[in-house]
Amino acid sequence: MPESSPISLEADLLEVAELVSQLVSIASVNPAIDPSSAGEAALATFVEDWLCQRGVEVAREPTGLPGRDNVIARVRGNGGGRTLLLNAHMDTVGTDEMQDPFVARREGARLHGRGAQDTKGGLAAYMLAVASSRRLKLSGDVVFTAVVDEEHGSAGTIACLRTLDADGALVAEPTALEAVCCHKGFQWLDVHTEGVAAHGSRPDRGVDAIAHMGHAIVALDRLAAEVAGRPGHPTLGTGSLHCSLVRGGQEMSSYPARCQLSVERRTLPGESRDDVEREIQAALDASASGRSRQPVQMLTSLERPALQTPDTAEIVTHLRAATEAVTGRRPGSVGQAAWTDAALIAEAGIPAVVFGPSGDGLHTPTEWVDLESVATCSDAVLATIRTFCA
Ligand SMILES: [Zn+2]
């Protein structure tokens, strides 16, 4: 569709407000974050029923996590067109000190509650767009995945990618209606030092694993400064490294036999797992000191890639043109700090862009989403479907 064609606004603000309120009022805290949570199951049932009632073909798919299925919906085209994948996560972070986290409270255009911004506003926008896309005459398919576990291990999106393929993907996270084409990746590493346990009165026998780790921490802090001084990425800046957790020692009057440090490295597009391990191991080797002279052991516990979708990818150009047709403003192609499941989708060979509404306070006690931007997001996603899957 030419950019100048008028696009009728499909998403009705009352309908949007009602749907976001319903989604927020169904608790779906990730049980890996809060083990007392029942997880995403009740929300999955709601999403499945909501889509089914609107005539959308929908099914559950297991993710390998007990009781935590994805919901997969498909609007089939007539054949020959591009397939668009829409992805939104159903889980939220915990509630901490949040007051009434699952009571959706409206204040003008703002809707407050846990998950309102991250990412139930975006989930609602995509659900409405999927339901409306049934009325379009499309050649390609629209595949919608409402996934579990984005806030922890991404088991939902990983499970989807075992069977799904598409020509482009939109991922619902709050982006204030900008097209986020790049973000950093991350790598978690565990570092271990060994000492020799002994009574605190026997320095002739004891070797202090915590003191040994102290040397390693100083070396990693120097490496962090070096990483921060590199030229960096035009949008994302530099990579980074910090010490996240440290554990060691048994009691006051003993030499600690072991110490463990967990380190997070935020990576740029193009930085590989091997590169990261090599430079960290080199820093640790140089730090091995003290009486133990033991090498410092290191292991990657989790690694997630960075996102770097080219501005020229079809999904980017379609999303930007479609959003401009809806809002009159062409969204920027920007980077963001936080990691998303879009990186896994892109790694699987599907060009992916993060796109969602505006709001504030995600992962804090004051989370809210702007309902008007949810409606605009829904219209922009529908307009993207209309051209991408034409
Ligand atoms: Zn999120």
Side-chain angles (χ1 to χ4, degrees):
M1 178 193 307
E3 280 175 34
S4 55
S5 297
I7 297 222
S8 60
L9 294 183
E10 300 277 352
D12 171 74
L13 202 56
L14 278 177
E15 192 185 9
V16 165
E18 191 190 338
L19 180 56
V20 181
S21 299
Q22 286 170 315
L23 297 175
V24 167
S25 66
I26 302 170
S28 59
V29 174
N30 190 314
I33 294 171
D34 177 357
S36 69
S37 163
E40 302 91 340
L43 186 61
T45 299
F46 176 87
V47 171
E48 185 181 21
D49 290 348
W50 191 95
L51 290 165
C52 189
Q53 284 158 16
R54 283 153 186 82
V56 178
E57 177 187 327
V58 61
R60 296 284 193 109
E61 272 190 16
T63 60
L65 300 174
R68 300 177 64 191
D69 294 345
N70 290 330
V71 177
I72 314 284
R74 192 178 283 264
V75 176
R76 291 182 193 275
N78 299 321
R82 283 179 289 249
T83 297
L84 178 62
L85 171 62
L86 303 174
N87 174 287
H89 66 86
M90 296 187 287
D91 59 319
T92 71
V93 294
T95 54
D96 295 327
E97 292 139 32
M98 200 166 192
Q99 298 277 313
D100 300 323
F102 308 115
V103 176
R105 185 171 55 82
R106 200 170 158 186
E107 233 173 53
R110 295 183 178 187
L111 191 127
H112 297 255
R114 172 53 83 231
Q117 191 197 15
D118 186 12
T119 205
K120 291 179 176 179
L123 175 62
Y126 283 30
M127 287 165 68
L128 288 160
V130 170
S132 296
S133 73
R134 286 186 66 248
R135 298 200 298 270
L136 305 176
K137 288 188 171 52
L138 302 173
S139 304
D141 290 2
V142 179
V143 180
F144 172 60
T145 58
V147 298
V148 301
D149 197 39
E150 190 274 344
E151 298 288 1
H152 180 66
S154 297
T157 291
I158 290 169
C160 287
L161 291 169
R162 289 194 194 108
T163 52
L164 279 182
D165 197 11
D167 301 295
L170 298 180
V171 176
E173 295 283 5
T175 70
L177 303 174
E178 302 290 358
V180 169
C181 296
C182 60
H183 61 61
K184 293 178 190 177
F186 65 90
Q187 191 164 336
W188 291 350
L189 302 105
D190 292 329
V191 176
H192 299 267
T193 53
E194 298 276 339
V196 176
H199 191 273
S201 66
R202 298 299 305 267
D204 54 318
R205 293 187 181 171
V207 176
D208 183 345
I210 295 176
H212 192 180
M213 186 62 87
H215 290 273
I217 290 172
V218 170
L220 292 173
D221 197 40
R222 281 200 198 102
L223 175 60
E226 199 254 296
V227 168
R230 292 176 188 169
H233 181 277
T235 316
L236 301 172
T238 65
S240 63
L241 169 69
H242 74 273
C243 299
S244 305
L245 298 162
V246 63
R247 297 173 216 93
Q250 307 89 288
E251 64 275 312
M252 286 301 293
S253 284
S254 295
Y255 277 78
R258 270 173 293 281
C259 186
Q260 181 182 322
L261 171 72
S262 299
V263 174
E264 181 178 74
R265 174 74 154 80
R266 292 277 163 167
T267 54
L268 296 175
E271 286 188 313
S272 76
R273 172 187 176 129
D274 287 352
D275 293 341
V276 168
E277 287 186 345
R278 206 175 302 114
E279 69 182 12
I280 289 179
Q281 189 64 63
L284 296 174
D285 289 347
S287 78
S289 65
R291 283 182 299 159
S292 83
R293 297 278 171 201
Q294 293 244 22
V296 184
Q297 306 294 324
M298 178 209 73
L299 203 67
T300 295
S301 61
L302 184 69
E303 180 219 353
R304 292 287 182 249
L307 175 71
Q308 175 84 80
T309 299
D311 277 1
T312 51
E314 284 180 318
I315 184 57
V316 180
T317 56
H318 279 259
L319 173 67
R320 294 180 75 197
T323 304
E324 186 177 18
V326 169
T327 65
R329 179 189 158 271
R330 198 173 189 82
S333 165
V334 301
Q336 71 171 30
W339 188 86
T340 72
D341 275 2
L344 294 172
I345 295 170
E347 189 183 41
I350 303 170
V353 186
V354 190
F355 183 72
S358 54
D360 205 359
L362 78 170
H363 296 212
T364 78
T366 56
E367 180 173 3
W368 58 270
V369 71
D370 178 84
L371 293 170
E372 283 168 13
S373 77
V374 174
T376 306
C377 174
S378 186
D379 289 338
V381 171
L382 183 62
T384 305
I385 292 170
R386 202 183 300 213
T387 65
F388 193 83
C389 303

